[in-house]
């Protein structure tokens, strides 16, 4: 078994002996050959089944025990392996962690993305926080960065976590609604616990609807400590920034996807890795010297606060690439066990009370979920660093420890395993807790410095583009519109009024609540551009899915030229027609159909293209599915391309306010609708540009009946 992390495949080599392929003959768990697994053993063909049928008993017993408890939160997830490289050695001044300081190392990782509230079988595209948990299998042991795609949290103290989770989960009397925060108990909790307001702004924003796990940020949330080899500490916040930028789905779209393809994000992760379009993220650090702890107008220990990037830049330090799907969902993605307390030398905790409570919860929950204390031995959880200690026995012990002495100190095993160093003080390679001086009275009390719940919620609101604000207002109206208890709606509007008066008025208007009077805490007017998704990178169409709608008589040259350009740019092009199989193009060529239109929907694509061909356009125009496909794509702000006669399908869909290319014009691009009648070399590049822009929110979308 490998015991160093010289390169990213060390973990894979470690997993190899555990992989079981299906080749060979069927056996029982005892290795006994089986020649019939379809008929139980009975006395006579129509007689009673015999107890001695060990194969029947074993098969059914195993089946009966196949389920383990799902995670109490983050039950639904998808995972992948990859590797992490730090760019250079410059962090050595801050941390002794070698995976953060040695650029020659490729550190294997396993990442699990998740939703929080829904159960294991719930849909991917619900409005929720996404978990972004990374296990680094470093040479110095496992480091778990158990983060989310939002940089703040609902509560400040872990003791409130059971209350919060009970409020957001389906209501206890009828277990409704599944994977949704739009119900009375959650908003009751919110209105009584104003520390939630900043996070609720994030949850009502598009951040809660990621287009893809590869298009969302990750955050360690808490302030941690980096500790140098000399013992000097620096506060740190961890950020993951996706290379593809941070992009989201439309709310109407997410609800439809939840029915059309509940596995949307999970499938995207799987498919893009299989296609070699590996998700990539840059690790960025915000570093704050210890002496600056009190320089901010918020408390670094308060997990409901960010450090604005304009105040402390997020410094890029390394790259994470996810390049391998697991072989077995249960063995790897379900059994992976993250724990905030898994840190390596050079990374340490702070007194954030949310963080401190988490340190207890993660190990505790694995004991019930994975059935005993030996879950670190499961292949996905095992460090690549060697493990030697005196922990013994318990359910599912799979190591065979040799020797007589399972205690320290001993002479009978030659004193082994020996302590790092001489036991007289800190030793190289061993974890040394940062020697923070602590002095205080035992007290159950929140610090005064944790009391401002609105300023950063206002900062977030002020930083949003107009379309982001409109989405937030619509989300509050949707969620509160589902709340049956009117005083709860009013209570939330009252809090929003402390965030921003205009926000509160807009929400109140949509939910039948009296418009509030201006609050006595006027908007401070500050903003942080780094918070807006409007400022995310928009250069790439990598992994974007483009639907080409076609019928008999289509112009196959239009398909070929656009498909070539799109595929070369990393997009995935699929030809959809009324039926599977092939269609005949206008020039007699045969065009392969990727999928029948009835098996998919526009919500599963990022863009749609209608090639030319009079007969094809005529057919599509009279096909309600095709017309709806185009109208719906328009409504969701997606790039739409059409060539020649294909433009008629757009006209039939009645896209409001769109200007199409005329005869004799070249390519025309109008808020993401790209058209040409005659030849035009720039058609494909402009379509690509429109798709890379992600969505075109500036259209008259509401008028479209889709
Ligand atoms: Fe947690 C799972 C992230 C607060 C208790 N949490 C879990 C996972 C993620 C997070 C990503 C899924 C890990 C996986 O994929 O297996 N949790 C967070 C973040 C938090 C946070 C970013 C705040 C900053 N969590 C939090 C608190 C508590 C927990 C305050 C308890 C006091 N979390 C758990 C847990 C879970 C968990 C019950 C459920 C399954 C598991 O741990 O393995 O222990």
């Amino acid at each position: 078994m490998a015991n160093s992390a010289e390169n990213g495949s060390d973990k894979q080599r470690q997993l190899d002996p555990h992989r079981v392929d299906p080749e060979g003959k069927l056996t029982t768990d005892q290795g006994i050959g089986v020649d019939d697994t379809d008929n139980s053993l009975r006395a006579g063909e129509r007689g009673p089944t015999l107890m001695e049928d060990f194969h029947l008993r074993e098969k059914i017993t195993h089946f009966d025990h196949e389920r383990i408890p799902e995670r109490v939160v983050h039950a639904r997830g998808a995972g992948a392996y990859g590797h992490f490289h730090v760019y250079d050695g410059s962090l050595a001044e801050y941390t002794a962690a070698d995976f953060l300081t040695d650029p020659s190392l490729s550190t294997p990782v396993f990442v699990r993305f998740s939703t929080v509230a829904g159960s294991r079988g719930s849909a991917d595209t619900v409005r929720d926080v996404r978990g972004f948990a990374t296990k680094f299998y470093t040479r110095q042991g496992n480091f778990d960065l158990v983060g989310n795609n939002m940089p703040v949290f609902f509560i400040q103290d872990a003791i409130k976590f059971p209350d919060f989770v009970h409020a957001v989960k389906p209501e206890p009397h009828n277990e409704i609604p599944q994977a949704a925060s739009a119900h009375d108990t959650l908003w009751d909790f919110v209105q009584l616990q104003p520390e939630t307001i900043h996070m609720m702004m994030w949850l009502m924003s598009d951040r809660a609807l990621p287009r893809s796990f590869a298009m969302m940020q990750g955050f360690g949330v808490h302030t941690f400590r980096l500790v140098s080899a000399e013992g000097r500490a620096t506060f740190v916040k961890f950020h993951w920034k996706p290379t593809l930028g941070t992009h989201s789905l439309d709310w109407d779209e997410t609800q439809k996807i939840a029915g059309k393809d509940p596995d949307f994000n999970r499938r995207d992760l799987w498919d893009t890795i299989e296609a070699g379009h590996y998700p990539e993220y840059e690790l960025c650090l915000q570093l704050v010297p210890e002496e600056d702890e009190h320089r901010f107008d918020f408390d670094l220990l308060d997990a409901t606060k960010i450090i604005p990037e304009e105040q402390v830049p997020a410094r890029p330090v390394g790259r994470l690439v996810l390049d391998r799907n697991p072989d077995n969902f249960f063995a790897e993605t379900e059994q992976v066990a993250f724990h905030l307390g898994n840190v390596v030398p050079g990374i340490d905790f702070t007194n954030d009370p949310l963080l401190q409570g988490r340190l207890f919860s993660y190990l505790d929950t694995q004991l019930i979920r994975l059935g005993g204390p030996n879950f670190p031995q499961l292949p996905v959880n095992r460090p690549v660093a060697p493990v030697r200690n005196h922990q013994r026995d318990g359910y599912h012990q799979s190591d065979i420890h040799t020797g007589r002495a399972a205690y320290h100190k001993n002479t009978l095993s030659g004193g082994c395993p020996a302590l790092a160093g001489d036991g007289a003080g800190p030793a190289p390679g061993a974890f040394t807790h940062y020697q923070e001086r602590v002095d205080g009275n035992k007290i159950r009390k929140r610090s005064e410095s944790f009391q401002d719940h609105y300023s950063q919620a206002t900062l977030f609101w002020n930083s949003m583009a107009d379309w982001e604000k409109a989405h937030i207002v619509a989300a509050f109206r949707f969620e509160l519109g589902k709340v049956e208890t009117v005083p709860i709606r009013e209570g939330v509007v009252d809090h929003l009024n402390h965030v921003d008066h205009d926000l509160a008025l807009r929400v109140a208007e949509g939910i039948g609540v009296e418009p509030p009077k201006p609050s006595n805490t006027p908007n401070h007017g500050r903003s942080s551009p780094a918070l807006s998704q409007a400022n995310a990178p928009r250069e790439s169409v990598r992994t974007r899915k483009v639907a080409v709608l076609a019928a008999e008589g289509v112009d196959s040259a239009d398909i070929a030229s656009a498909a070539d350009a799109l595929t070369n740019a990393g997009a995935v092009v699929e030809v959809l027609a009324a039926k599977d199989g092939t269609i005949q193009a206008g020039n007699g060529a045969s065009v392969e159909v990727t999928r029948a239109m009835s098996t998919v929907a526009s919500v599963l694509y990022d863009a749609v293209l209608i090639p030319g061909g009079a007969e094809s356009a005529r057919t599509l125009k009279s096909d309600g599915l095709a017309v709806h496909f185009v109208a719906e794509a328009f409504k969701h702000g997606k790039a739409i391309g059409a060539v020649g006669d294909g433009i008629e399908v757009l006209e039939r869909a009645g896209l409001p306010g769109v200007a199409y290319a005329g005869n004799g014009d070249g390519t025309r691009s109008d808020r993401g609708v790209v058209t040409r009648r005659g030849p035009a070399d720039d058609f494909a590049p402009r379509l690509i540009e429109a798709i890379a822009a992600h969505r075109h929110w500036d259209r008259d979308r509401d008028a479209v009946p889709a």
Side-chain angles (χ1 to χ4, degrees):
M1 194 169 294
N3 61 5
S4 77
E6 295 300 313
N7 63 62
S9 66
D10 270 12
K11 183 66 193 172
Q12 295 307 318
R13 276 201 293 279
Q14 187 195 49
L15 293 175
D16 277 340
H18 299 280
R19 295 191 168 110
V20 180
D21 67 46
E23 274 167 38
K25 299 269 164 59
L26 190 71
T27 74
T28 66
D29 273 348
Q30 307 305 319
I32 294 154
V34 173
D35 62 0
D36 182 348
T37 190
D38 298 332
N39 296 292
S40 50
L41 187 70
R42 47 204 156 218
E45 284 171 17
R46 300 184 60 255
T49 302
L50 298 181
M51 192 69 162
E52 73 176 67
D53 186 349
F54 55 83
H55 175 48
L56 164 78
R57 285 195 329 267
E58 180 195 85
K59 189 172 171 183
I60 291 187
T61 304
H62 195 279
F63 168 77
D64 290 343
H65 295 258
E66 275 172 11
R67 288 292 168 274
I68 62 171
E70 66 173 33
R71 289 167 173 82
V72 57
V73 283
H74 297 265
R76 179 164 180 86
Y81 292 98
H83 46 90
F84 173 80
H85 290 90
V86 71
Y87 292 143
D88 57 41
S90 61
L91 287 177
E93 126 180 46
Y94 301 103
T95 179
D98 66 4
F99 81 102
L100 285 176
T101 51
D102 184 345
S104 72
L105 293 180
S106 169
T107 301
V109 302
F110 185 82
V111 173
R112 183 173 178 274
F113 302 106
S114 48
T115 51
V116 178
S119 56
R120 247 190 85 177
S122 56
D124 277 349
T125 58
V126 297
R127 180 175 294 283
D128 200 352
V129 186
R130 300 299 183 283
F132 188 143
T134 309
K135 191 179 281 295
F136 296 80
Y137 305 95
T138 89
R139 272 196 323 190
Q140 295 168 301
N142 286 351
F143 167 55
D144 292 356
L145 183 56
V146 195
N148 280 340
N149 76 330
M150 298 180 192
V152 288
F153 202 64
F154 298 95
I155 46 170
Q156 297 171 319
D157 188 322
I159 200 166
K160 291 301 294 169
F161 193 66
D163 296 311
F164 164 68
V165 174
H166 290 172
V168 72
K169 282 270 186 180
E171 299 194 6
H173 57 304
N174 55 11
E175 218 193 23
I176 297 175
Q178 178 56 242
S181 48
H183 59 113
D184 286 48
T185 53
L186 186 262
W187 289 97
D188 191 27
F189 181 86
V190 167
Q191 62 137 353
L192 296 169
Q193 201 76 28
E195 72 203 59
T196 53
I197 291 295
H198 186 195
M199 182 63 161
M200 292 314 288
M201 295 295 294
W202 283 82
L203 189 66
M204 294 302 109
S205 81
D206 290 357
R207 300 274 183 156
L209 317 170
R211 157 65 182 84
S212 148
F213 294 136
M215 297 180 200
M216 62 181 207
Q217 282 177 265
F219 301 91
V221 181
H222 308 285
T223 303
F224 288 85
R225 274 195 172 90
L226 293 183
V227 184
S228 71
E230 296 73 39
R232 191 172 62 89
T234 307
F235 292 115
V236 64
K237 291 248 192 210
F238 293 99
H239 297 240
W240 291 117
K241 295 199 177 185
T243 316
L244 295 179
T246 310
H247 303 294
S248 296
L249 298 164
D250 182 71
W251 173 235
D252 178 62
E253 187 187 11
T254 61
Q255 294 177 80
K256 292 172 175 168
I257 295 175
K260 298 279 183 186
D261 184 7
D263 305 305
F264 183 78
N265 289 137
R266 174 187 283 198
R267 189 187 305 283
D268 173 89
L269 179 67
W270 183 276
D271 287 351
T272 51
I273 291 178
E274 291 301 300
H277 290 307
Y278 302 136
E280 279 182 22
Y281 311 81
E282 195 158 49
L283 180 68
C284 301
L285 304 184
Q286 286 182 295
L287 296 165
V288 177
E290 288 260 305
E291 53 276 20
D292 287 351
E293 179 173 1
H294 302 295
R295 155 163 96 83
F296 304 94
D297 60 0
F298 54 88
D299 198 319
L300 286 180
L301 303 184
D302 174 357
T304 66
K305 303 296 184 297
I306 58 162
I307 309 178
E309 286 185 41
E310 292 73 18
Q311 250 172 301
V312 178
R315 169 173 159 183
V317 300
R319 183 172 297 271
L320 166 70
V321 178
L322 300 180
D323 58 0
R324 188 187 161 110
N325 280 314
D327 289 293
N328 183 285
F329 184 89
F330 180 84
E332 295 161 288
T333 310
E334 194 59 16
Q335 293 201 109
V336 68
F338 292 94
H339 177 23
L340 197 77
N342 291 346
V343 287
V344 291
I347 301 178
D348 210 330
F349 314 116
T350 59
N351 294 328
D352 172 344
L354 190 76
L355 183 162
Q356 290 289 327
R358 289 180 75 192
L359 291 176
F360 169 74
S361 186
Y362 287 73
L363 178 57
D364 185 46
T365 205
Q366 313 306 353
L367 295 174
I368 177 112
R369 199 170 71 79
L370 298 169
N374 291 314
F375 64 85
Q377 295 178 3
L378 289 166
V380 68
N381 293 327
R382 241 175 222 271
V384 294
V387 174
R388 290 184 211 97
N389 56 42
H390 299 295
Q391 263 104 261
R392 290 288 184 275
D393 307 347
Y395 286 113
H396 320 302
Q397 173 60 259
S398 59
D399 286 342
I400 303 172
H401 297 100
T402 57
R404 283 172 74 186
Y407 52 88
H408 179 86
K409 308 161 182 169
N410 69 65
T411 56
L412 294 178
S413 291
C416 290
L419 293 176
D422 56 10
F431 190 94
T432 311
H433 290 270
Y434 176 65
Q435 297 193 3
E436 181 183 4
R437 192 184 145 76
V438 179
D439 184 16
N441 299 325
K442 271 193 239 170
I443 187 167
R444 282 192 194 275
K445 187 174 186 299
R446 262 332 132 87
S447 165
E448 269 308 307
S449 56
F450 278 44
Q451 298 304 331
D452 169 14
H453 305 313
Y454 301 117
S455 298
Q456 287 210 349
T458 307
L459 184 82
F460 184 75
W461 172 252
N462 291 348
S463 310
M464 297 292 106
D466 284 348
W467 56 267
E468 290 176 300
K469 287 186 173 172
H471 293 181
I472 291 172
V473 170
F476 272 113
R477 286 179 173 189
F478 179 95
E479 298 263 319
L480 293 170
K482 297 266 186 188
V483 169
E484 289 157 6
T485 315
V486 173
I488 295 180
R489 296 184 184 195
E490 290 165 347
V492 176
V493 167
D494 194 41
H495 287 303
L496 293 183
N497 203 30
H498 293 288
V499 177
D500 180 77
H501 184 54
D502 179 52
L503 164 66
L505 289 179
R506 288 165 71 180
V507 173
E509 196 200 337
I511 56 168
V513 162
E514 263 316 281
K517 302 213 165 28
S519 84
N520 50 9
T521 50
N523 187 317
H524 54 57
R526 292 192 301 274
S527 63
S528 164
L531 299 178
S532 170
Q533 287 183 253
N535 300 324
R538 276 156 213 282
E539 293 97 41
S540 172
V541 295
R542 212 150 62 84
T543 76
R544 297 296 189 161
K545 291 187 74 178
V546 183
V548 178
L549 304 194
E552 298 284 332
V554 71
D555 186 335
S556 57
D558 289 347
I559 301 186
S561 61
D564 276 359
L566 285 162
T567 314
N568 287 340
V572 177
V573 178
E574 296 191 348
V575 177
L576 312 183
K579 283 187 258 162
D580 259 325
T582 53
I583 48 176
Q584 205 178 33
N587 62 1
S590 154
V591 176
E592 190 114 1
V593 176
T594 321
R595 292 171 206 281
M597 214 180 294
S598 57
T599 65
V600 287
S602 86
V603 291
L604 307 179
Y605 295 87
D606 294 288
V608 51
L609 170 65
I610 321 282
E615 189 193 343
S616 171
R618 231 183 353 264
T619 310
L620 292 173
K621 263 181 357 185
S622 58
D623 178 348
L625 266 187
V627 175
H628 180 263
F629 200 108
V630 172
E632 192 177 50
F634 181 85
K635 189 177 185 74
H636 296 147
K638 295 174 182 176
I640 297 177
V643 181
D645 297 318
I647 296 173
E648 290 174 26
V649 185
L650 272 44
E651 285 164 348
R652 170 78 178 81
L655 313 181
V658 176
Y660 301 115
N663 287 326
D665 289 350
T667 300
R668 179 156 197 163
S669 184
D670 180 13
R671 287 160 296 164
V673 181
V674 185
T675 48
R676 73 167 169 85
R677 303 249 178 209
D681 289 345
D682 61 345
F683 179 76
R686 295 193 68 183
L687 181 61
I688 288 176
E689 192 180 82
I691 300 171
H694 180 60
R695 296 298 165 91
H696 301 268
W697 304 118
D698 51 348
R699 295 175 182 162
D700 186 8
R701 304 186 302 128
D702 293 345
V704 179

